[in-house]
């Protein structure tokens, strides 16, 4: 929640918070943020010949408490003083320049990204938010964080049991309290599919979809909707650095999954049993291209393995690939449909002979 202390209602809410036992930490480093702002605006002479204190005071004015906004984080009990939105965004993304220009950054922050599946997808959403790729997000997942998720999700043991959509939104708001985030806590279903894509809210339609779920019906139905609405889709399969790009914005007649599943429809996969669902997922990712470890694991899931393996390093790599691709697409740069592989096991190959470090080192 963002509060403006210059407004009577918000000022009253702030006063109530300060007097309550809900407030655990008051964090006010606004002067440091203003100093950074001045440095971003005039790197060669941040203070314009004035002292640091004078320059900061000139920005703050006579009522420092009403400058900027106060971000209230009820889940942690923190109240944080932050710069006004435009200044906050300028400073927070300043180190992106000029890999991303300020003009490009402003354009990216106007875009809305949908993310389905917030296990692997949470890292992609967080990385997009961190880089300023998207200023509005729609997140969907029905699941809650389990202890076994902590091998690849940015969370703590105190978060076990929290809904993944809620947890992801919290982390994103902590990066940028000015984000516009909607969550579908029950995930994407037949009843919520239209809401996820923005039915009846044309001005809030998605600009890009990141799909990272395991449910066949959702994977197919989401792509059918994306294709009908000409929305590009990205998917990281979290094995061998494989990134799928489906440019339905440029190719509205393109077959789903690059044609790997034929003319399959959402209706066809609504009631698949476990074996048929696994077969479809293997067709989507192309079983012949899986890493040896993943191929072996899939034969043992449900017998000696509880689920297929996923590593934090692979998830983080996938988040980087998805964010880079999303930025390029949203900026209108050339990025064709297709499957792209960045396999570090091949790119950074092991030497033919073991490396000896020697006894004296």
């Amino acid at each position: 929640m963002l509060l403006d202390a210059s407004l009577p209602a918000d000022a009253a809410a702030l006063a109530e918070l300060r007097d309550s036992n809900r407030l655990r930490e008051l964090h006010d480093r606004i002067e440091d943020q203003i100093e950074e702002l001045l440095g971003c605006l005039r790197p060669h002479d941040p203070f314009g010949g004035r002292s640091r204190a004078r320059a900061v005071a000139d920005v703050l004015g006579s009522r420092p408490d009403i400058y900027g906004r106060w971000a209230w984080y009820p889940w942690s009990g923190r109240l944080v003083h932050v710069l006004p939105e435009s200044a906050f965004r300028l400073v927070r993304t300043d180190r992106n320049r000029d890999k991303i220009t300020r003009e490009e950054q402003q354009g990216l922050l106007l875009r809305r990204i949908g993310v389905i599946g917030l296990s692997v997808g949470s890292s992609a959403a967080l990385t997009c938010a961190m880089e300023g790729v998207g200023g509005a997000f729609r997140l969907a997942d029905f699941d809650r964080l389990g202890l076994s998720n902590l091998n690849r999700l940015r969370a703590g043991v105190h978060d076990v049991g929290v809904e993944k959509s809620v947890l992801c939104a919290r982390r994103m708001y902590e990066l940028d309290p000015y984000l516009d985030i909607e969550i579908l806590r029950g995930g994407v279903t037949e009843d919520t599919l239209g809401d996820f894509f923005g039915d009846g809210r044309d001005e809030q339609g998605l600009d890009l979809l990141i799909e990272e779920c395991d449910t066949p019906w959702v994977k197919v139905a989401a792509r059918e909707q994306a294709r009908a609405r000409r929305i590009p889709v990205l998917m990281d399969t979290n094995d061998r650095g494989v990134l799928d790009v489906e440019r339905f914005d440029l190719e509205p007649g393109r077959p789903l999954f690059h044609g790997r599943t034929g003319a399959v429809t959402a209706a066809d996969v609504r009631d698949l049993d476990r074996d048929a669902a696994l077969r479809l997922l293997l067709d989507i990712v192309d079983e012949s291209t899986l890493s040896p470890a993943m191929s072996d694991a899939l034969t043992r899931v449900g017998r000696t393995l509880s689920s297929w393996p996923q590593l934090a390093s692979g998830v983080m790599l996938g988040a980087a690939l998805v964010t880079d691709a999303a930025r390029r697409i949203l900026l209108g740069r050339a990025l064709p449909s297709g499957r792209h592989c960045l396999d570090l096991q091949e790119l950074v190959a092991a030497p033919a002979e073991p490396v000896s470090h020697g006894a004296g080192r």
Side-chain angles (χ1 to χ4, degrees):
M1 177 189 296
L2 284 168
L3 298 167
D4 182 350
S6 69
L7 301 176
D10 285 5
L14 283 166
E16 190 276 329
L17 273 175
R18 288 191 174 101
D19 292 337
S20 74
N21 58 12
R22 291 181 292 159
L23 180 61
R24 299 176 186 172
E25 180 182 345
L26 178 65
H27 192 86
D28 188 354
R29 304 289 296 188
I30 199 67
E31 293 188 1
D32 294 342
Q33 294 174 50
I34 291 173
E35 181 178 353
E36 283 197 83
L37 172 63
L38 295 172
C40 294
L41 294 172
R42 292 167 54 93
H44 60 289
D45 184 16
F47 306 138
R50 299 163 291 176
S51 68
R52 185 258 190 196
R54 180 72 265 165
V56 170
D58 287 346
V59 175
L60 273 177
S62 60
R63 290 281 310 278
D65 61 305
I66 67 172
Y67 175 80
R69 296 290 185 273
W70 291 86
W72 167 239
Y73 298 104
W75 53 89
S76 63
R78 292 190 179 98
L79 183 63
V80 185
H81 200 177
V82 295
L83 293 170
E85 182 175 1
S86 60
F88 178 90
R89 289 272 174 74
L90 186 147
V91 175
R92 204 189 70 79
T93 63
D94 187 68
R95 293 297 295 272
N96 288 351
R97 292 198 305 143
D98 269 329
K99 289 188 173 183
I100 305 173
T101 68
R102 280 187 178 152
E103 292 74 18
E104 289 172 335
Q105 195 78 74
Q106 290 171 358
L108 287 170
L109 289 167
L110 295 175
R111 311 306 285 273
R112 185 178 301 274
I113 296 174
V115 186
I116 302 176
L118 295 168
S119 182
V120 172
S122 67
S123 288
L126 281 164
T127 306
C128 282
M130 195 178 300
E131 193 164 294
V133 178
F137 294 83
R138 198 166 285 143
L139 312 175
D141 199 307
F142 64 87
D143 201 9
R144 294 176 180 269
L145 184 77
L147 184 59
S148 63
N149 295 139
L150 294 183
N151 80 319
R152 61 195 184 281
L153 266 72
R154 300 178 193 178
V157 291
H158 60 285
D159 294 311
V160 170
V162 176
E163 292 161 279
K164 291 178 180 177
S165 59
V166 171
L167 184 61
C168 186
R170 288 176 178 178
R171 298 294 178 263
M172 294 167 73
Y173 275 133
E174 288 168 352
L175 286 169
D176 183 347
Y178 291 103
L179 289 173
D180 173 6
I181 304 176
E182 301 171 74
I183 60 174
L184 276 71
R185 301 169 78 159
V188 170
T189 66
E190 290 185 76
D191 292 334
T192 62
L193 185 62
D195 289 336
F196 182 80
F197 279 92
D199 277 357
R201 301 177 293 178
D202 292 340
E203 73 283 359
Q204 296 186 26
L206 299 180
D207 295 297
L208 183 138
L209 172 63
I210 299 170
E211 187 279 301
E212 298 290 354
C213 76
D214 300 327
T215 306
W217 180 86
V218 176
K219 296 182 86 68
V220 179
R223 280 170 175 76
E224 288 176 342
Q225 291 291 318
R227 183 170 60 183
R229 300 162 192 260
R230 303 191 67 161
I231 297 169
V233 178
L234 298 174
M235 178 181 71
D236 158 53
T237 58
N238 192 230
D239 183 60
R240 298 186 65 235
V242 174
L243 173 71
D244 272 301
V245 180
E246 294 172 277
R247 296 299 305 269
F248 298 124
D249 54 326
L250 303 179
E251 306 167 85
R254 185 176 182 81
L256 308 185
F257 307 109
H258 317 299
R260 294 180 184 278
T261 58
V264 69
T265 68
D268 296 332
V269 302
R270 181 181 285 111
D271 300 314
L272 295 182
D273 61 26
R274 182 185 177 280
D275 289 342
L278 179 59
R279 183 68 258 165
L280 177 70
L281 293 175
L282 289 174
D283 287 342
I284 289 171
V285 300
D286 188 356
E287 185 177 7
S288 67
T289 66
L290 294 176
S291 65
M294 181 64 81
S295 294
D296 175 66
L298 289 175
T299 66
R300 298 187 289 117
V301 171
R303 297 189 297 107
T304 60
L305 290 175
S306 60
S307 185
W308 49 79
Q310 296 175 307
L311 298 178
S313 54
V315 170
M316 303 306 171
L317 174 62
L321 296 174
V322 166
T323 300
D324 185 86
R327 170 169 40 81
R328 291 161 65 184
I329 289 172
L330 294 176
L331 289 176
R333 295 178 184 164
L335 183 63
S337 296
R339 174 161 291 175
H340 311 277
C341 181
L342 186 66
D343 188 351
L344 294 181
Q345 293 292 323
E346 293 184 0
L347 291 174
V348 188
E353 296 294 332
V355 176
S356 174
H357 294 293
R361 298 183 63 183

